[in-house]
Amino acid sequence: MSAVLDRTGTLARAWEVASSVVDPELPMLTLRDLGVLRDISQDEDGTVVAAITPTYSGCPAMATMRDDLVRELQEAGFADARVRVVLSPPWTSDWISPEGRGALATAGISPPGAAPRASGPVALQLLPTRRPVRCPRCGAEEVQLTSEFGSTACKAMYQCRSCLEPFDHVKEI
Amino acid sequence: MADIHTHESDVHDSTYAGLLVNDAHWAFGTDFEDPLAGVDTTVPDGVDPAALAAYCLMLGDDALVLSQRLAEWCSRAPDLEEDIALANMSLDLLGQARLLLARAAAADPDMVPELPDGSPVPPEDRLAFFRDDRHFRNVRLAEVPNGDFAEAVVKVLLFSSWRLALLERLAASRDAVLAAVAAKGVKELAYHRDFAGRWFLTLARGTEESRRRLIAALDGLWPLWPELFESHAVEQVVAEAGIGVDPAEVAAEVEVVLEQVFAASQIDRPTRGALAGVQGLKGRDGRHTEALSRMLAEMQVVARAHPRGQW
């Protein structure tokens, strides 16, 4: 087996292991589904390096993600595995996978729509953000934004006007 | 006599001991690993590392100090949604501060306060917890003690409108770390500005009392507004080097945003003049209002008491 093939096999296996690690705050999603796991590579001496990016600058879960990734990779035999942070390009909710969106909805969290495209200065929005959000429990379209800021930095709070249940919506950024 | 002061190993000790085997870290910081781990922190060609670091400290201190003020709101806001919103904005700013202070420390390690050998405090936390007020470089608007909810709304509106404009330009910085922090911060500050703008409108059009309080808050903070657009020598140097933004350049576009909010709210632009500095020196020079040292005393006291504290 050539070194190149061996290397590819290692990376594929490491990617598989890293892909199974779940987000500490949204445990129905893997870090891959969330778009936080960006890359798996090997440095010159063969050490496996996982690259992750924060959803928000102040994301308090980064350390836990890092620990979980390192632990899982170590248990799978990648003894020296480490994690590096990538800051660019910034995380966007568009990176949440279709499987991730399905898992969010099943867990009662409304998945994000398409993120706004950045072009020129950000315009001031004095009216509440209009999003095509449906209640993840009863499917009703009559929902009300209660706050742009929710239980974690990446979510807004809504209430369904039909079944009256409050629910989280992952913000489009 | 009961031996309540002795501490013998028992089953509980062994449970907790397991948590400390390979994982002990400083007890008071935001995290326990380098937030820039694996990020290329090479200083771009032709850039003075000390100037880059001083600039990162300015933007980092702005975020850190307002973050602390917003955190002081926790459990005190008018309702739960606003409490969470203020805490969320505080957290966003704390995240920006952490990256910026880490970037400052990486560019110029000499600016990081020295601590006893073996201290586990990471560089960005040394900058946050072990500097005195005169070493902070934030604009004075960020340090104003909290007033009522209207005051928080006005402060966040002024601060986020200004910072959003700065970071939009900073996203094109030649320094890759600053550019990345800025691009991310833009998304966050857009939410902060919208939150504050909507509440400004709501309070202005609400009751007589809410409008009165809003106008009083705006009037009270207005003397600190011009300072945000004054170019400090450091800002001019980094702007010329293509890694920073001269705040004077964003004044016009930020005024347009404020005028939009004032017009929708039917509020007149205040007329009060600027708060003078001390012998011409202001926040960017390390000359602050008395409020900053009081705030830092509370923010830093536990960390300073236990520079080796681990858990």
Coordinates of all heavy atoms in Angstrom, one line a residue, chain B residues 225-298:
Chain B
W225 N -20.5 61.0 22.2 CA -20.7 60.6 20.8 C -19.5 61.1 19.9 O -18.9 60.3 19.2 CB -22.0 61.1 20.3 CG -22.4 60.8 18.9 CD1 -22.6 61.7 17.9 CD2 -22.5 59.5 18.3 NE1 -22.9 61.0 16.7 CE2 -22.9 59.7 16.9 CE3 -22.4 58.2 18.7 CZ2 -23.1 58.6 16.0 CZ3 -22.6 57.1 17.9 CH2 -23.0 57.3 16.5
P226 N -19.1 62.4 20.0 CA -18.0 62.9 19.1 C -16.7 62.1 19.3 O -16.0 61.9 18.3 CB -17.9 64.3 19.5 CG -19.2 64.7 20.1 CD -19.7 63.5 20.8
E227 N -16.4 61.7 20.5 CA -15.2 61.0 20.7 C -15.0 59.7 19.8 O -13.9 59.3 19.5 CB -15.1 60.5 22.2 CG -13.8 59.8 22.6 CD -13.9 59.4 24.1 OE1 -14.7 59.9 24.9 OE2 -13.1 58.5 24.4
L228 N -16.2 59.1 19.5 CA -16.1 57.9 18.7 C -15.5 58.1 17.3 O -15.0 57.2 16.6 CB -17.5 57.3 18.5 CG -18.0 56.3 19.6 CD1 -17.8 56.9 21.0 CD2 -19.4 55.9 19.4
F229 N -15.5 59.4 16.8 CA -15.1 59.6 15.4 C -13.8 60.4 15.4 O -13.4 60.9 14.3 CB -16.2 60.4 14.7 CG -17.4 59.6 14.7 CD1 -18.5 59.8 15.6 CD2 -17.6 58.5 13.8 CE1 -19.6 59.0 15.6 CE2 -18.7 57.7 13.8 CZ -19.7 58.0 14.7
E230 N -13.1 60.6 16.6 CA -11.8 61.3 16.6 C -10.8 60.3 16.2 O -10.7 59.2 16.8 CB -11.6 61.9 18.0 CG -12.5 63.0 18.3 CD -12.4 63.5 19.7 OE1 -11.5 63.0 20.5 OE2 -13.2 64.3 20.2
S231 N -9.8 60.7 15.4 CA -8.8 59.8 14.9 C -7.6 59.9 15.9 O -7.0 60.9 16.1 CB -8.2 60.1 13.6 OG -9.3 60.4 12.7
H232 N -7.3 58.8 16.6 CA -6.1 58.7 17.4 C -4.9 58.4 16.5 O -5.1 57.8 15.4 CB -6.3 57.6 18.4 CG -5.3 57.5 19.5 ND1 -4.1 56.8 19.3 CD2 -5.2 58.0 20.7 CE1 -3.3 57.0 20.4 NE2 -4.0 57.7 21.3
A233 N -3.7 58.8 17.0 CA -2.5 58.6 16.2 C -2.4 57.1 15.8 O -2.0 56.8 14.6 CB -1.3 59.0 17.0
V234 N -2.7 56.2 16.7 CA -2.6 54.8 16.4 C -3.5 54.4 15.2 O -3.2 53.6 14.3 CB -2.9 53.9 17.6 CG1 -3.1 52.4 17.3 CG2 -1.7 54.0 18.6
E235 N -4.7 54.9 15.3 CA -5.7 54.6 14.2 C -5.3 55.1 12.9 O -5.5 54.5 11.8 CB -7.1 55.1 14.6 CG -7.7 54.4 15.8 CD -8.9 55.1 16.5 OE1 -8.8 56.3 16.7 OE2 -9.8 54.4 16.9
Q236 N -4.6 56.3 12.9 CA -4.2 56.8 11.6 C -3.0 56.0 11.1 O -3.0 55.7 9.9 CB -3.7 58.3 11.8 CG -4.8 59.2 12.1 CD -4.3 60.6 12.6 OE1 -3.1 60.9 12.6 NE2 -5.3 61.5 12.8
V237 N -2.2 55.5 11.9 CA -1.0 54.7 11.5 C -1.6 53.4 10.9 O -1.1 53.0 9.8 CB -0.1 54.4 12.6 CG1 0.9 53.3 12.3 CG2 0.7 55.6 13.0
V238 N -2.5 52.7 11.6 CA -3.0 51.4 11.1 C -3.8 51.6 9.8 O -3.9 50.7 8.9 CB -3.7 50.6 12.1 CG1 -2.7 50.1 13.2 CG2 -4.9 51.3 12.7
A239 N -4.5 52.7 9.7 CA -5.3 53.0 8.5 C -4.4 53.1 7.3 O -4.7 52.6 6.3 CB -6.2 54.2 8.7
E240 N -3.3 53.9 7.5 CA -2.4 54.1 6.4 C -1.7 52.8 6.0 O -1.4 52.6 4.8 CB -1.3 55.1 6.8 CG -1.8 56.5 6.7 CD -0.9 57.5 7.4 OE1 0.3 57.2 7.7 OE2 -1.4 58.6 7.7
A241 N -1.5 51.9 7.0 CA -0.9 50.6 6.7 C -1.9 49.6 6.1 O -1.5 48.5 5.7 CB -0.3 50.0 8.0
G242 N -3.1 50.0 6.0 CA -4.1 49.1 5.4 C -4.6 48.0 6.3 O -5.2 47.0 5.8
I243 N -4.4 48.1 7.6 CA -4.8 47.1 8.5 C -5.9 47.5 9.4 O -6.6 46.7 10.1 CB -3.7 46.5 9.3 CG1 -2.9 47.6 10.1 CG2 -2.8 45.6 8.5 CD1 -2.0 47.0 11.2
G244 N -6.1 48.9 9.5 CA -7.1 49.4 10.4 C -8.0 50.4 9.7 O -7.9 50.7 8.6
V245 N -8.9 51.0 10.5 CA -9.9 52.0 10.0 C -9.8 53.3 10.8 O -9.8 53.2 12.0 CB -11.3 51.4 10.1 CG1 -12.3 52.4 9.5 CG2 -11.5 50.1 9.4
D246 N -9.7 54.4 10.1 CA -9.8 55.7 10.7 C -11.2 56.0 11.0 O -12.0 56.1 10.1 CB -9.1 56.7 9.8 CG -9.1 58.1 10.4 OD1 -9.8 58.3 11.4 OD2 -8.4 59.0 9.9
P247 N -11.6 56.1 12.3 CA -13.0 56.3 12.6 C -13.7 57.5 12.0 O -14.9 57.6 11.7 CB -13.1 56.3 14.1 CG -11.7 56.6 14.6 CD -10.8 56.1 13.5
A248 N -12.8 58.5 11.7 CA -13.4 59.8 11.1 C -14.0 59.5 9.7 O -14.9 60.1 9.3 CB -12.2 60.8 10.9
E249 N -13.5 58.4 9.1 CA -14.0 58.1 7.8 C -15.4 57.5 7.8 O -16.1 57.5 6.7 CB -13.1 57.0 7.1 CG -11.8 57.6 6.6 CD -10.9 56.5 6.1 OE1 -11.4 55.4 5.7 OE2 -9.7 56.7 6.0
V250 N -15.9 57.0 8.9 CA -17.2 56.4 8.9 C -18.3 57.3 9.5 O -19.4 57.0 9.6 CB -17.2 55.0 9.7 CG1 -16.3 54.0 9.1 CG2 -17.0 55.2 11.2
A251 N -17.8 58.5 9.9 CA -18.8 59.4 10.6 C -20.0 59.7 9.8 O -21.1 59.6 10.3 CB -18.0 60.7 11.0
A252 N -19.8 60.0 8.5 CA -21.0 60.4 7.7 C -22.0 59.3 7.6 O -23.2 59.5 7.7 CB -20.5 60.9 6.3
E253 N -21.5 58.1 7.3 CA -22.5 57.0 7.1 C -23.2 56.6 8.4 O -24.3 56.2 8.4 CB -21.8 55.8 6.4 CG -20.8 55.1 7.3 CD -20.0 54.0 6.5 OE1 -19.1 54.4 5.7 OE2 -20.3 52.8 6.7
V254 N -22.5 56.8 9.5 CA -23.1 56.4 10.8 C -24.2 57.5 11.1 O -25.3 57.2 11.6 CB -22.1 56.3 11.9 CG1 -22.8 56.0 13.2 CG2 -21.1 55.2 11.6
E255 N -23.9 58.7 10.8 CA -24.9 59.8 11.0 C -26.2 59.5 10.2 O -27.3 59.8 10.7 CB -24.3 61.2 10.6 CG -23.3 61.7 11.6 CD -23.9 62.0 13.0 OE1 -25.1 62.1 13.1 OE2 -23.1 62.1 14.0
V256 N -26.0 59.0 9.0 CA -27.2 58.7 8.2 C -28.1 57.7 8.9 O -29.3 57.8 8.9 CB -26.8 58.2 6.8 CG1 -27.9 57.6 6.0 CG2 -26.1 59.3 6.0
V257 N -27.5 56.6 9.5 CA -28.2 55.6 10.2 C -28.9 56.2 11.4 O -30.1 56.0 11.6 CB -27.3 54.5 10.7 CG1 -28.0 53.5 11.6 CG2 -26.7 53.7 9.5
L258 N -28.2 57.0 12.2 CA -28.9 57.7 13.3 C -30.0 58.6 12.9 O -31.1 58.6 13.5 CB -27.9 58.5 14.1 CG -27.1 57.8 15.2 CD1 -26.5 58.9 16.1 CD2 -27.9 56.9 16.0
E259 N -29.8 59.3 11.8 CA -30.9 60.2 11.3 C -32.2 59.4 11.0 O -33.3 59.8 11.2 CB -30.4 61.0 10.1 CG -29.4 62.1 10.5 CD -30.0 63.1 11.6 OE1 -31.2 63.3 11.7 OE2 -29.1 63.6 12.4
Q260 N -31.9 58.2 10.4 CA -33.1 57.3 10.1 C -33.9 57.0 11.3 O -35.1 57.0 11.3 CB -32.6 56.0 9.5 CG -32.4 55.9 8.0 CD -31.9 54.5 7.6 OE1 -30.7 54.3 7.7 NE2 -32.8 53.6 7.3
V261 N -33.1 56.6 12.4 CA -33.8 56.3 13.6 C -34.5 57.5 14.3 O -35.7 57.4 14.7 CB -32.8 55.7 14.6 CG1 -33.5 55.3 15.9 CG2 -32.1 54.5 14.0
F262 N -33.8 58.6 14.3 CA -34.4 59.8 14.9 C -35.6 60.2 14.1 O -36.6 60.6 14.7 CB -33.4 61.0 14.8 CG -32.2 60.8 15.8 CD1 -31.1 61.6 15.6 CD2 -32.2 59.9 16.8 CE1 -30.0 61.4 16.5 CE2 -31.2 59.7 17.7 CZ -30.0 60.5 17.5
A263 N -35.6 60.2 12.8 CA -36.7 60.6 11.9 C -37.9 59.7 12.2 O -39.0 60.2 12.4 CB -36.3 60.6 10.5
A264 N -37.7 58.4 12.2 CA -38.8 57.5 12.4 C -39.4 57.7 13.8 O -40.6 57.4 14.1 CB -38.3 56.0 12.2
S265 N -38.6 58.1 14.8 CA -39.0 58.2 16.2 C -39.5 59.6 16.5 O -39.9 59.9 17.6 CB -37.8 57.9 17.1 OG -37.2 56.7 16.8
Q266 N -39.3 60.6 15.5 CA -39.6 62.0 15.7 C -38.9 62.5 16.9 O -39.5 63.1 17.8 CB -41.1 62.2 15.8 CG -41.8 61.8 14.5 CD -43.3 62.1 14.5 OE1 -44.0 61.6 15.5 NE2 -43.8 62.8 13.6
I267 N -37.6 62.2 17.0 CA -36.8 62.7 18.0 C -35.7 63.7 17.4 O -35.2 63.4 16.4 CB -36.0 61.6 18.7 CG1 -37.0 60.6 19.4 CG2 -34.9 62.1 19.6 CD1 -37.3 60.9 20.8
D268 N -35.5 64.8 18.0 CA -34.5 65.8 17.5 C -33.1 65.3 17.9 O -32.9 64.8 19.0 CB -34.8 67.2 18.1 CG -36.1 67.8 17.6 OD1 -36.5 67.4 16.4 OD2 -36.8 68.5 18.3
R269 N -32.2 65.6 17.0 CA -30.8 65.3 17.3 C -30.4 66.2 18.4 O -30.6 67.4 18.4 CB -30.0 65.6 16.0 CG -28.6 65.1 16.0 CD -28.0 65.4 14.6 NE -26.7 64.7 14.4 CZ -25.6 65.1 14.9 NH1 -25.5 66.3 15.5 NH2 -24.5 64.4 14.7
P270 N -29.8 65.6 19.5 CA -29.4 66.5 20.6 C -28.4 67.5 20.2 O -27.7 67.4 19.2 CB -28.8 65.5 21.6 CG -29.2 64.1 21.1 CD -29.4 64.2 19.7
T271 N -28.3 68.6 21.0 CA -27.4 69.7 20.7 C -26.2 69.8 21.7 O -25.4 70.7 21.5 CB -28.1 71.0 20.7 OG1 -28.9 71.1 21.9 CG2 -29.1 71.0 19.5
R272 N -26.2 69.0 22.7 CA -25.1 69.2 23.7 C -23.7 68.9 23.1 O -23.6 68.1 22.3 CB -25.3 68.2 24.9 CG -26.6 68.5 25.7 CD -26.7 67.5 26.9 NE -25.6 67.7 27.8 CZ -25.4 66.8 28.9 NH1 -26.1 65.8 29.0 NH2 -24.4 67.0 29.7
G273 N -22.8 69.7 23.6 CA -21.4 69.6 23.1 C -20.7 68.4 23.7 O -21.2 67.7 24.6
A274 N -19.5 68.2 23.1 CA -18.7 67.0 23.5 C -18.1 67.1 24.9 O -17.8 68.2 25.4 CB -17.6 66.8 22.5
L275 N -18.0 66.0 25.6 CA -17.4 66.0 26.9 C -15.9 66.1 26.7 O -15.3 65.3 25.9 CB -17.7 64.6 27.6 CG -17.0 64.5 29.0 CD1 -17.7 65.4 30.0 CD2 -17.2 63.0 29.5
A276 N -15.3 67.1 27.3 CA -13.8 67.3 27.1 C -13.0 66.2 27.7 O -13.5 65.4 28.5 CB -13.4 68.6 27.8
G277 N -11.8 66.1 27.3 CA -10.8 65.1 27.9 C -10.1 65.7 29.1 O -10.5 66.8 29.5
V278 N -9.2 65.0 29.6 CA -8.3 65.6 30.7 C -7.0 66.0 30.0 O -6.3 65.2 29.5 CB -8.0 64.5 31.7 CG1 -7.1 65.1 32.8 CG2 -9.3 64.0 32.4
Q279 N -6.8 67.3 30.0 CA -5.7 67.9 29.2 C -5.7 67.3 27.8 O -4.6 67.0 27.2 CB -4.3 67.5 29.9 CG -4.2 68.1 31.3 CD -3.1 67.6 32.1 OE1 -2.7 66.4 32.0 NE2 -2.5 68.4 32.9
G280 N -6.9 67.2 27.2 CA -7.0 66.8 25.8 C -7.0 65.3 25.7 O -7.2 64.8 24.6
L281 N -6.7 64.5 26.7 CA -6.6 63.1 26.6 C -8.0 62.4 27.0 O -8.7 62.8 27.9 CB -5.5 62.5 27.6 CG -4.1 63.1 27.3 CD1 -3.2 62.6 28.4 CD2 -3.6 62.8 25.9
K282 N -8.3 61.4 26.2 CA -9.6 60.7 26.3 C -9.4 59.2 26.4 O -8.3 58.7 26.7 CB -10.5 61.1 25.2 CG -10.8 62.6 25.1 CD -11.6 63.0 23.9 CE -11.8 64.5 24.0 NZ -12.5 65.0 22.8
G283 N -10.5 58.5 26.2 CA -10.5 57.0 26.4 C -9.4 56.3 25.6 O -8.7 55.5 26.2
R284 N -9.2 56.7 24.4 CA -8.1 56.0 23.6 C -6.7 56.3 24.1 O -5.8 55.5 23.8 CB -8.2 56.5 22.1 CG -9.4 56.0 21.3 CD -9.2 54.6 20.8 NE -10.2 54.1 19.9 CZ -11.1 53.2 20.2 NH1 -11.1 52.6 21.4 NH2 -12.0 52.8 19.3
D285 N -6.6 57.3 24.9 CA -5.3 57.6 25.5 C -5.1 57.0 26.9 O -4.1 57.2 27.6 CB -5.1 59.2 25.7 CG -5.4 59.9 24.4 OD1 -4.6 59.6 23.4 OD2 -6.3 60.7 24.3
G286 N -6.2 56.3 27.4 CA -6.1 55.7 28.7 C -6.6 56.7 29.8 O -6.4 56.4 31.0
R287 N -7.3 57.8 29.4 CA -7.8 58.7 30.4 C -9.3 58.5 30.4 O -10.0 58.8 29.4 CB -7.5 60.2 30.1 CG -6.1 60.5 30.2 CD -5.6 60.3 31.6 NE -4.1 60.5 31.7 CZ -3.5 61.7 31.9 NH1 -4.2 62.7 32.2 NH2 -2.2 61.7 31.9
H288 N -9.8 58.0 31.5 CA -11.2 57.5 31.6 C -12.0 58.3 32.6 O -11.4 59.0 33.4 CB -11.3 56.0 31.9 CG -10.7 55.2 30.8 ND1 -11.4 54.9 29.6 CD2 -9.5 54.7 30.6 CE1 -10.6 54.2 28.8 NE2 -9.4 54.1 29.4
T289 N -13.3 58.0 32.7 CA -14.1 58.6 33.7 C -13.9 57.7 35.0 O -13.4 56.5 34.8 CB -15.6 58.6 33.3 OG1 -16.0 57.2 33.0 CG2 -15.8 59.4 32.1
E290 N -14.3 58.2 36.1 CA -14.1 57.4 37.3 C -14.8 56.1 37.3 O -14.4 55.1 37.9 CB -14.7 58.3 38.5 CG -14.5 57.7 39.9 CD -15.2 58.5 40.9 OE1 -15.5 59.6 40.7 OE2 -15.4 57.9 42.0
A291 N -15.9 56.0 36.5 CA -16.7 54.8 36.5 C -15.9 53.6 36.0 O -16.2 52.5 36.5 CB -17.9 55.0 35.5
L292 N -14.9 53.8 35.2 CA -14.2 52.6 34.7 C -13.5 51.9 35.8 O -13.5 50.7 35.9 CB -13.3 53.0 33.5 CG -12.5 51.8 32.9 CD1 -13.5 50.8 32.3 CD2 -11.4 52.2 32.0
S293 N -12.8 52.7 36.6 CA -12.0 52.0 37.7 C -12.9 51.2 38.6 O -12.5 50.2 39.1 CB -11.1 53.0 38.4 OG -11.8 54.1 38.8
R294 N -14.1 51.8 38.9 CA -15.0 51.1 39.8 C -15.5 49.8 39.1 O -15.6 48.7 39.7 CB -16.2 51.9 40.1 CG -15.9 53.1 41.0 CD -17.1 54.0 41.2 NE -16.7 55.2 42.0 CZ -16.6 55.2 43.3 NH1 -17.0 54.1 44.0 NH2 -16.3 56.3 43.9
M295 N -15.8 49.9 37.8 CA -16.3 48.7 37.1 C -15.2 47.6 37.1 O -15.4 46.4 37.3 CB -16.6 49.0 35.6 CG -17.3 47.9 34.9 SD -17.2 48.1 33.1 CE -15.7 47.2 32.8
L296 N -13.9 48.0 36.8 CA -12.8 47.1 36.7 C -12.6 46.4 38.1 O -12.2 45.3 38.2 CB -11.6 47.7 36.2 CG -11.6 48.2 34.7 CD1 -10.3 48.8 34.3 CD2 -11.9 47.0 33.8
A297 N -12.7 47.2 39.2 CA -12.5 46.7 40.5 C -13.4 45.5 40.7 O -12.9 44.5 41.2 CB -12.8 47.8 41.5
E298 N -14.6 45.6 40.3 CA -15.5 44.5 40.5 C -15.2 43.3 39.5 O -15.2 42.2 39.9 CB -17.0 44.9 40.3 CG -18.0 43.8 40.6 CD -19.4 44.3 40.5 OE1 -19.8 45.2 41.3 OE2 -20.1 43.9 39.6

